[in-house]
Amino acid sequence: MPRGGLQLGQDKESFCFKEIPTGTFFRMDRPLQGRESFRRCCSYSTLKSWLPVLSWLPKYKLRYLQMDLLAGITVGLTTVPQALAYAEVAGLPVQYGLYSAFMGGFIYTLLGTSKDVTLGPTAIMSLLCFSVVGGQPHRAVLLSLLCGVIQAAMALLRLGFLLDFISYPVIKGFTCAAAVTIGFGQVKNILGIQDVPHQFFLEVYFTFHNIPEARVGDVVLGLVCLALLIGLMFMKSHPGTDDGSVYSRFASKLVWAVATMRNALVVVAATLVAYSWDAYGHQVFTITGHTTRGLPPFSPPPTSDTTSNGTIVSFKEIVEDFGGGLAVIPLMGLLESIAIAKAFASQNNYRIDANQELLAIGVTNIMGSFVSAYPVTGSFGRFVFRFTKNLLDSSFFISSTFLFPSRTAVNSQTGVCTPAGGIITSVIVLLSLAFLMPAFYYIPKASLAAVIICAVAPMVDYRVVIKMWRIHRLDLLPFIVTFLLSFWQVQYGIMGGIAVSGALLLYTMARPKIKVSDHGALVMELSSGLSFPAVEHLSHIIHTQALQIFPPRSVVLDCHHVSIIDYTVISELRDLLRQFSLRNVKLMFSGLQLSILKILLEADLQGFRYTNSVEEALLQMESVSLLSD
């Protein structure tokens, strides 16, 4: 039921009636309807729709608490090293990753509709943030506020349908390019190379150019971390055989736990190695260095900025500098989170409210900006899409399977029961900020680079290109445009891909398939709706195949697929009927849906004739032809 509104299908113009003692009825007009709407708006069910926590909290059980604690701790140990690493991708000090990782757990518990989703920094949002703010912390925080306002407004205005215009090839082209950009951007940290430009093509050139300057310690540590992470990932994805014994079950659970917490274990081990060398006076590794200690202050985000030479940059100028990023980042954040929420809702047999998810993300980004967070979203992983052919109508439908274990996947696999697991994760992040920041000084950048590379590598899905080639080759065009332009500027890649896929969509609307067959009269079957972009195409075919030949041919338009029609179409049909009448041939319509027939009758088209079926139209034309003979 829409919040504060009428139930679907209810007549908005209906009246309420109240029986009075005389046995007659007195019509209570708008005032009673207004009071009823007010009661619905302020009802407990409406409040639950805005605060989903009220739906599951009264049913909360001790067993749920045990599972949520386990999931929250597990995800927390995954979140801390990932947040530190993603801050590097965003070009921000590492503490900003942790600042961005705890607010989502609290807000999503109140507003979220998925038990599995965790909100926090992600690789893709970090890359988008860097492309817009260039590693400036104050602007990153302001960007979070503005993104949150846009996302919350979209939720309140129910504009989530805009995400439907971002096609799957655009998403895959962007994620593949983002994975390559992010992954290669960490090669310099594996090599210990300094002063490499961030623009992708310059980054590639200077990384290879400066290889002779690579530090042996960073290279060895980075490769060892990569090998450990890959090995632990392989162990988790290929568990050994379980013979049912207690020892076997314990070993399987131990391997699963170690593999799940691999990021934290590898980063801690690398930090201990770096600290040991530093304690003996040997600075072998490039380390994170100074970090701000303690929790971030709770204060409004800055609305102006000051350059290095003391020039004050106003709020308006900052927003202008953000440019198209203010459109791209909120949309991509919503797309990431809703995609992951829908996938796990389908997998675990529950439903989500997409607009409520938009609201949860928006409020998280708004509140996060008060604790120095940059934009966050649901943790995105890798999906494998399976295309299945329907033998009845040769159409394809798509099913998805989530393979790459993001934080959300870890949350689900650990058995989380409610969104309350996010609170535990947030508490772990806050404890890290409060007590562990001095230890983060010694984290080697090579270990964080290894974590990032392992996180984004599976997002490069080359198999999707093969599938698109087999199923619909034209979809490769927006994929390639998005993929290539994203190496220049991320925003341009996404906007270019949307533009190309939109152009293909418009072309499909403007050039619908029209099947022409000869049954004495020409039968033209329209494969889709008839709107103004397509009517010129239809008119051209009718003229070339029926009106401009000698002798002219009668035509039957099979309209059983037509479900939309507009005024431009009516005007063109009026002209076509006139042209057919001048040439003494017939244009008949068959299989019209009731709504379309009503529009055509109201248009009062001269010479308009229709039948229920093509066969009936052909019989009528044949009888008219015999009578004329």
Side-chain angles (χ1 to χ4, degrees), residues 42 50 55 66 164 256 286 298 307 356 460:
C42 301
W50 286 104
S55 298
Q66 294 171 345
D164 297 337
W256 181 88
T286 303
F298 189 87
T307 62
Q356 186 66 28
V460 182

Side-chain angles (χ1 to χ4, degrees), residues 72-86 98 221 225 228-230 232-233 236 256-273 405 407 410 428-429 432 436 439-440 442-444 447-448 450-452 454-455:
I73 293 171
T74 305
V75 175
L77 294 176
T78 303
T79 298
V80 171
Q82 278 191 348
L84 298 172
Y86 291 152
L98 295 177
L221 183 63
C225 289
L228 287 173
L229 289 169
I230 293 171
L232 290 171
M233 286 174 62
K236 186 176 181 179
W256 181 88
V258 171
T260 299
M261 296 183 289
R262 61 188 178 277
N263 292 333
L265 295 176
V266 167
V267 171
V268 168
T271 302
L272 291 175
V273 171
R407 294 191 303 271
V410 171
I428 291 176
V429 174
S432 301
L436 297 180
F440 294 158
Y442 295 100
I443 295 178
S447 65
L448 295 179
V451 169
I452 295 170
C454 287

